[in-house]
Amino acid sequence: MATTLELLREHGPAGPAFRRFGRDVDQNLWDAIGNPRRDAGLARRAEEGRRRLAQEAAEREAQRPVCADCGTKFTDDRWKASIAVDWGRGDSHPHLCDDCKARVLEAERPAEQAEHERQEQERQEAEAAQDSKAGGWLGRWRS
Protein backbone atom coordinates (compact mmCIF):
# COMPACT_ATOMS: atom_id res chain seq x y z
CA MET A 1 0.00 0.00 0.00
CA ALA A 2 1.29 3.45 -0.83
CA THR A 3 0.31 7.12 -0.72
CA THR A 4 1.82 10.48 -1.41
CA LEU A 5 1.86 13.70 0.59
CA GLU A 6 0.04 15.37 -2.26
CA LEU A 7 -2.91 12.92 -2.02
CA LEU A 8 -2.95 13.22 1.78
CA ARG A 9 -3.06 17.02 1.57
CA GLU A 10 -5.81 16.89 -1.06
CA HIS A 11 -8.13 14.27 0.51
CA GLY A 12 -6.97 14.02 4.12
CA PRO A 13 -6.27 10.76 5.97
CA ALA A 14 -9.92 9.61 5.77
CA GLY A 15 -10.28 10.23 2.04
CA PRO A 16 -9.22 8.20 -1.01
CA ALA A 17 -5.50 8.83 -0.62
CA PHE A 18 -4.20 5.24 -0.52
CA ARG A 19 -3.45 2.79 -3.31
CA ARG A 20 -2.92 -0.93 -2.96
CA PHE A 21 -0.20 -2.38 -5.09
CA GLY A 22 -1.68 -4.06 -8.15
CA ARG A 23 -4.76 -1.82 -8.26
CA ASP A 24 -5.49 1.24 -10.34
CA VAL A 25 -7.81 3.18 -8.01
CA ASP A 26 -7.22 5.22 -4.88
CA GLN A 27 -9.11 4.06 -1.80
CA ASN A 28 -9.65 5.17 1.76
CA LEU A 29 -7.46 3.51 4.38
CA TRP A 30 -9.99 0.88 5.54
CA ASP A 31 -10.72 -0.31 2.00
CA ALA A 32 -7.04 -0.34 1.09
CA ILE A 33 -6.02 -2.57 4.01
CA GLY A 34 -9.13 -4.76 3.78
CA ASN A 35 -8.96 -8.55 3.64
CA PRO A 36 -10.75 -9.91 0.55
CA ARG A 37 -10.62 -13.50 1.81
CA ARG A 38 -12.25 -12.50 5.07
CA ASP A 39 -14.88 -10.48 3.20
CA ALA A 40 -15.64 -13.49 0.99
CA GLY A 41 -15.86 -15.74 4.05
CA LEU A 42 -18.22 -13.33 5.81
CA ALA A 43 -20.40 -13.12 2.71
CA ARG A 44 -20.47 -16.93 2.45
CA ARG A 45 -21.40 -17.26 6.13
CA ALA A 46 -24.15 -14.65 5.77
CA GLU A 47 -25.56 -16.47 2.71
CA GLU A 48 -25.58 -19.78 4.61
CA GLY A 49 -27.41 -18.06 7.48
CA ARG A 50 -30.05 -16.66 5.11
CA ARG A 51 -30.47 -20.07 3.49
CA ARG A 52 -30.85 -21.76 6.89
CA LEU A 53 -33.46 -19.20 8.01
CA ALA A 54 -35.40 -19.69 4.78
CA GLN A 55 -35.36 -23.47 5.26
CA GLU A 56 -36.56 -23.16 8.88
CA ALA A 57 -39.35 -20.83 7.76
CA ALA A 58 -40.41 -23.32 5.07
CA GLU A 59 -40.42 -26.18 7.61
CA ARG A 60 -42.51 -24.07 10.00
CA GLU A 61 -45.03 -23.29 7.27
CA ALA A 62 -45.25 -27.00 6.40
CA GLN A 63 -46.20 -27.74 10.03
CA ARG A 64 -48.81 -24.95 10.21
CA PRO A 65 -52.25 -26.50 10.86
CA VAL A 66 -55.24 -25.89 8.62
CA CYS A 67 -58.88 -25.43 9.49
CA ALA A 68 -60.83 -28.69 9.47
CA ASP A 69 -63.88 -26.94 8.03
CA CYS A 70 -62.69 -24.53 5.33
CA GLY A 71 -59.04 -25.61 4.86
CA THR A 72 -57.38 -22.20 5.36
CA LYS A 73 -54.07 -22.07 7.21
CA PHE A 74 -54.13 -20.82 10.79
CA THR A 75 -52.70 -17.39 11.59
CA ASP A 76 -49.84 -17.27 14.10
CA ASP A 77 -52.17 -16.02 16.83
CA ARG A 78 -54.76 -18.74 16.15
CA TRP A 79 -52.03 -21.39 16.05
CA LYS A 80 -50.74 -20.29 19.46
CA ALA A 81 -54.28 -20.21 20.86
CA SER A 82 -55.06 -23.70 19.59
CA ILE A 83 -52.02 -25.26 21.27
CA ALA A 84 -52.02 -23.13 24.44
CA VAL A 85 -52.56 -25.12 27.63
CA ASP A 86 -55.46 -23.68 29.61
CA TRP A 87 -56.14 -25.81 32.64
CA GLY A 88 -59.54 -24.22 33.11
CA ARG A 89 -61.72 -24.60 30.03
CA GLY A 90 -59.32 -24.58 27.05
CA ASP A 91 -60.13 -23.86 23.44
CA SER A 92 -63.56 -25.20 22.55
CA HIS A 93 -62.69 -25.84 18.88
CA PRO A 94 -58.88 -26.09 18.42
CA HIS A 95 -59.22 -27.56 14.92
CA LEU A 96 -61.18 -24.60 13.46
CA CYS A 97 -60.02 -21.16 12.27
CA ASP A 98 -61.40 -18.02 13.91
CA ASP A 99 -64.17 -17.48 11.33
CA CYS A 100 -65.39 -21.09 11.39
CA LYS A 101 -65.17 -21.19 15.20
CA ALA A 102 -67.32 -18.04 15.45
CA ARG A 103 -69.87 -19.54 13.05
CA VAL A 104 -70.05 -22.82 15.02
CA LEU A 105 -70.34 -21.03 18.35
CA GLU A 106 -73.13 -18.86 16.94
CA ALA A 107 -74.96 -21.99 15.76
CA GLU A 108 -74.51 -23.67 19.18
CA ARG A 109 -75.77 -20.67 21.14
CA PRO A 110 -79.56 -21.29 20.60
CA ALA A 111 -79.19 -24.95 21.61
CA GLU A 112 -77.32 -24.00 24.78
CA GLN A 113 -79.92 -21.35 25.57
CA ALA A 114 -82.78 -23.86 25.08
CA GLU A 115 -81.01 -26.35 27.36
CA HIS A 116 -80.53 -23.68 30.01
CA GLU A 117 -84.23 -22.71 29.80
CA ARG A 118 -85.27 -26.38 30.10
CA GLN A 119 -83.10 -26.84 33.20
CA GLU A 120 -84.51 -23.65 34.72
CA GLN A 121 -88.08 -24.85 34.04
CA GLU A 122 -87.34 -28.22 35.70
CA ARG A 123 -85.85 -26.47 38.72
CA GLN A 124 -88.91 -24.24 39.07
CA GLU A 125 -91.27 -27.25 38.78
CA ALA A 126 -89.28 -29.10 41.43
CA GLU A 127 -89.47 -26.10 43.77
CA ALA A 128 -93.24 -25.77 43.19
CA ALA A 129 -93.75 -29.47 43.93
CA GLN A 130 -91.63 -29.14 47.07
CA ASP A 131 -93.62 -26.09 48.23
CA SER A 132 -97.01 -27.76 47.68
CA LYS A 133 -95.84 -30.95 49.35
CA ALA A 134 -94.53 -29.29 52.50
CA GLY A 135 -97.32 -27.75 54.58
CA GLY A 136 -95.20 -26.75 57.54
CA TRP A 137 -93.53 -28.62 60.32
CA LEU A 138 -96.39 -30.99 61.00
CA GLY A 139 -97.58 -31.07 57.40
CA ARG A 140 -96.48 -34.60 56.68
CA TRP A 141 -98.66 -36.12 59.47
CA ARG A 142 -101.82 -34.26 58.39
CA SER A 143 -102.14 -35.71 54.95
Side-chain angles (χ1 to χ4, degrees):
M1 183 172 68
T3 190
T4 62
L5 285 176
E6 209 172 274
L7 287 172
L8 284 172
R9 280 188 199 123
E10 183 180 342
H11 301 290
F18 303 92
R19 183 171 290 189
R20 273 182 94 159
F21 293 116
R23 298 201 179 165
D24 297 341
V25 294
D26 293 331
Q27 300 172 315
N28 65 27
L29 181 62
W30 294 112
D31 291 340
I33 62 173
N35 186 348
R37 284 189 220 156
R38 184 194 63 181
D39 294 342
L42 289 174
R44 212 175 21 255
R45 195 174 315 152
E47 180 61 31
E48 289 171 2
R50 281 191 293 274
R51 208 175 300 132
R52 188 184 75 247
L53 288 175
Q55 181 180 2
E56 289 173 0
E59 289 173 359
R60 179 169 160 62
E61 282 301 312
Q63 293 175 353
R64 184 178 295 273
V66 296
C67 177
D69 192 27
C70 64
T72 59
K73 289 192 174 193
F74 281 15
T75 61
D76 287 338
D77 293 335
R78 179 65 186 131
W79 191 3
K80 287 178 188 174
S82 69
I83 61 173
V85 176
D86 186 6
W87 299 107
R89 59 188 160 107
D91 191 2
S92 62
H93 297 80
H95 56 282
L96 296 177
C97 67
D98 288 331
D99 294 335
C100 295
K101 180 179 173 182
R103 190 175 44 231
V104 167
L105 290 176
E106 189 65 34
E108 290 176 352
R109 187 169 296 150
E112 290 174 2
Q113 191 173 11
E115 177 66 22
H116 179 68
E117 289 173 0
R118 185 188 62 78
Q119 289 175 355
E120 183 66 26
Q121 181 68 25
E122 287 178 359
R123 187 182 63 77
Q124 288 175 356
E125 289 174 1
E127 286 178 0
Q130 187 72 7
D131 289 343
S132 67
K133 190 176 188 183
W137 186 67
L138 299 174
R140 64 180 172 190
W141 288 302
R142 290 187 189 165
S143 40

